[in-house]
Amino acid sequence: MIPFLSLKNVTALHGAEIQEAVRRVTESGWYLQGTENKNFEQHYAQYIGTDYCVGCANGLDALIWIFRAYIELGVMQPGDEVIVPANTYIATILAITENGLTPVLVEPKLNTLEIDDSLIEAKITEKTKAICIVHLYGRLAYTERIAALCKKYQLKLIEDNAQAHGCLAADGRKTGSLGDAAGHSFYPGKNLGALGDGGAVTTSDQQLAETIRSLANYGSSAKYVFQYCGRNSRLDEIQAAVLDVKLKYLDEDNLHRKKIAQYYIENIDNHYITLPDILPMESNVFHLFPILCSHRDALHDYLERKGVGTLIHYPIPPHKQECYRAWNQLSLPVTEQIATQELSLPIGPAISIEEVEAVVKLLNCFQPGV
């Protein structure tokens, strides 16, 4: 059996240090908003390249608080529009609608799977206040054209960096520092994953960071004093301590992912399978290794029978979900094609080259109906 991702094996890579970090927290008697959070926030902000990092409960909340803070600061108001890729995990869209903002869906490029920056300007109206890019699958979505559009129309640039911890732009800046603010997820399966839920916002805007910290603490910046109607959305001390351990190894773990990806790229040879365009290695941290196949379901079942775990990201795009039924009649053919053809292969810091060799051999032997 070759699992899609063994979280047990991933944790075991740094198991002794993680266990020590958990022990330190449990023996401290301080479990929320303590030293571990301060340390991780400082270290992660330094790593990303921003002045501030604010821990919160999960990646969805991180994005929600960014938009909510901009509303509280008068930068946005309910009804304003946010341009966002149609091909994304639904959390990106939920964060926008949660705040009464209007998502404007833009198709991706089929060869990159990321937002098509040539389609954005036509979607900008007087109500547009932000562009939210998603570094989906660990691939860089930022482009100079997007940055220029934000400057031209005075739009906020918000990054969904849930899948791209450690990814670099061409100028050496890390994703999470490229725009005005970024939301990060530390879900266990991420490149930087906790032992449960966790998230953070990075930004160099002090007022935004302070507002987000208050919103995520019931709306309070001083005990029993509430400036906002907030919620409880905090990163606990155990998760912060674990993340601080794993942060030290993130670049090393990403390098292993790249070695695995390079083997896939160089050795997959089956005309039924299409690989997205190859980005510079620094611009992809391979959170996932997506392939496209017009016989995707048959390929999935074939690999499953052979003992190889795969996942589909994502079989139903946001505009076809029941919760957004008003959008169900929208035609977004590129997004819909990706949803019917995408299959993610095993990748991660704990998978071996030998396992990947076995996966590739099976892929190269695949024939529909056989």
Side-chain angles (χ1 to χ4, degrees), residues 70 75-76 129-132 150 154-158 180 205:
Y70 277 131
V75 176
M76 300 178 192
K129 292 298 187 292
I131 299 174
C132 181
C150 288
Q154 297 182 304
L155 307 177
K156 295 298 182 183
L157 178 57
I158 297 164
D180 296 283
D205 183 332

Side-chain angles (χ1 to χ4, degrees), residues 290-308:
I291 60 174
L292 299 179
C293 179
S294 57
H295 302 275
R296 190 267 311 280
D297 293 344
L299 177 57
H300 169 273
D301 294 346
Y302 161 79
L303 291 172
E304 187 175 71
R305 291 195 303 270
K306 300 294 185 179
V308 175

Side-chain angles (χ1 to χ4, degrees), residues 107-120:
E107 285 268 63
K109 294 180 180 179
L110 188 60
N111 62 321
T112 69
L113 310 181
E114 305 293 340
I115 191 168
D116 186 342
D117 61 4
S118 71
L119 302 178
I120 292 175

